[in-house]
Amino acid sequence: MIKMVALDLDGTLLTSDKTISKGNEQALKAIHDAGVKVVLCTGRPINAIWRFIEQLGLTEDTDYTITFNGALVVHNNDKAELAKSGIEKADLVPLHNFVKAENAPLDILDFQQVYPMTDLKPSMYQQQFKGNIDFVPRAFSDLSTTDEYSKAIVSDKPELLDQYQSAIDDTLRSHYHIVRSQPQIMEFLAAGMDKVVGLKALLAHFDMDFSNLMAFGDAENDLGMIKNAEIGVVMENGQDPVKQAGDVITGNNDADGVAQYVNHYFH
């Protein structure tokens, strides 16, 4: 029985202009009011998506959000951490060496803010980013060795990102879970880190498992939850490998694709 619905944001729940349509809002509020857990699953921190949490009314005592692509599960009401898993600065050294050799930019995120690396090419990440988070430029050598980091981002023109991606070798790939979340954004997470990690912790918190989960997504960083969920729903605009992994294809993100399937399944 489906008791939790997990939703990616960009390209899935959000329209192309980064808003939640009225149709999607109404469909999700209806199942939330009926007792289904509605969980936003994003690469961003919770403050950056707070307007969406408020719009959907996900501010009750049992509402949580999966942030940083699974690395942090947050209790919406008080921002308390249910589960957290970061990476250390030492783990980021191979990535820093790689981007330096490729003349690529790099942003490193802890669980509060973003550090654009000032010793590298300027990044496009801040101009892509819509939301409430501080960008604190810093050289890699000045990053704390005691703090935990949530992930790193390489953000550049899509054609340059294609070049960087093709230069990644097996050694580097073994260090990280690498996902192309948007054409201009490539994310480097701890090896094994995935939205599935956060969802597993949250499902366990509610004495549920993946047989109780429906997940909606469109991109590479949604593959894990699409494969693991009892019902993996992929957007019409989704990437082909994600569509192949899913159970259902729904409408696109600009045509209330989420509401189409939610209304069909729950009514």
Side-chain angles (χ1 to χ4, degrees):
M1 181 181 173
I2 300 300
K3 300 178 183 177
M4 183 182 290
V5 174
L7 300 126
D8 169 59
L9 292 179
D10 294 303
T12 300
L13 177 59
L14 303 186
T15 60
S16 296
D17 63 359
K18 307 291 187 192
T19 59
I20 298 176
S21 70
K22 208 69 192 160
N24 283 346
E25 177 189 332
Q26 288 168 348
L28 293 173
K29 279 181 170 173
I31 61 169
H32 185 249
D33 289 347
V36 176
K37 308 282 180 224
V38 174
V39 181
L40 303 185
C41 296
T42 177
R44 291 177 248 175
I46 195 165
N47 287 349
I49 62 158
W50 191 252
R51 65 195 184 280
F52 303 135
I53 288 169
E54 288 194 320
Q55 182 181 349
L56 295 175
L58 304 180
T59 50
E60 294 178 6
D61 195 43
T62 54
D63 287 321
Y64 290 81
T65 300
I66 309 292
T67 63
F68 297 106
N69 276 325
L72 183 64
V73 184
V74 186
H75 185 228
N76 293 358
N77 260 353
D78 55 10
K79 314 284 174 71
E81 297 169 355
L82 176 71
K84 180 178 175 179
S85 177
I87 46 181
E88 296 175 357
K89 181 182 176 180
D91 299 323
L92 293 165
V93 171
L95 175 59
H96 183 259
N97 292 340
F98 170 77
V99 292
K100 195 170 183 180
E102 292 295 319
N103 189 31
L106 186 66
D107 293 88
I108 293 173
L109 291 80
D110 60 16
F111 291 94
Q112 278 80 42
Q113 52 203 0
V114 183
Y115 302 102
M117 295 293 101
T118 56
D119 53 320
L120 299 165
K121 174 184 178 180
S123 170
M124 289 172 49
Y125 188 50
Q126 187 164 5
Q127 65 205 62
Q128 306 295 324
F129 197 95
K130 303 271 194 298
N132 179 20
I133 192 169
D134 289 332
F135 280 74
V136 183
R138 191 160 290 179
F140 188 75
S141 57
D142 294 333
L143 281 183
S144 165
T145 54
T146 54
D147 290 348
E148 271 194 314
Y149 299 94
S150 59
K151 62 178 180 176
I153 299 279
V154 177
S155 179
D156 211 333
K157 293 174 183 171
E159 61 273 20
L160 290 173
L161 224 52
D162 291 342
Q163 289 176 29
Y164 308 148
Q165 197 165 4
S166 64
I168 294 170
D169 62 18
D170 289 344
T171 308
L172 193 69
R173 201 168 269 113
S174 70
H175 273 90
Y176 310 101
H177 177 207
I178 305 169
V179 290
R180 186 85 172 256
S181 55
Q182 294 183 48
Q184 69 282 7
I185 293 176
M186 186 160 47
E187 309 198 18
F188 292 77
L189 307 156
M193 182 49 61
D194 190 280
K195 290 178 180 180
V196 167
V197 175
L199 283 166
K200 187 176 182 181
L202 185 57
L203 285 161
H205 175 71
F206 288 117
D207 293 323
M208 299 180 194
D209 59 32
F210 285 105
S211 69
N212 303 122
L213 182 70
M214 177 187 291
F216 286 80
D218 72 304
E220 201 179 326
N221 63 333
D222 305 317
L223 252 178
M225 67 177 187
I226 292 294
K227 284 179 177 173
N228 280 272
E230 180 70 17
I231 304 174
V233 187
V234 184
M235 311 307 290
E236 190 179 60
N237 51 285
Q239 297 169 0
D240 284 340
V242 189
K243 286 179 173 175
Q244 288 160 20
D247 302 299
V248 178
I249 309 289
T250 188
N252 75 45
N253 64 311
D254 286 320
D256 292 353
V258 167
Q260 283 177 35
Y261 192 73
V262 164
N263 292 336
H264 163 77
Y265 183 85
F266 288 98
H267 298 299

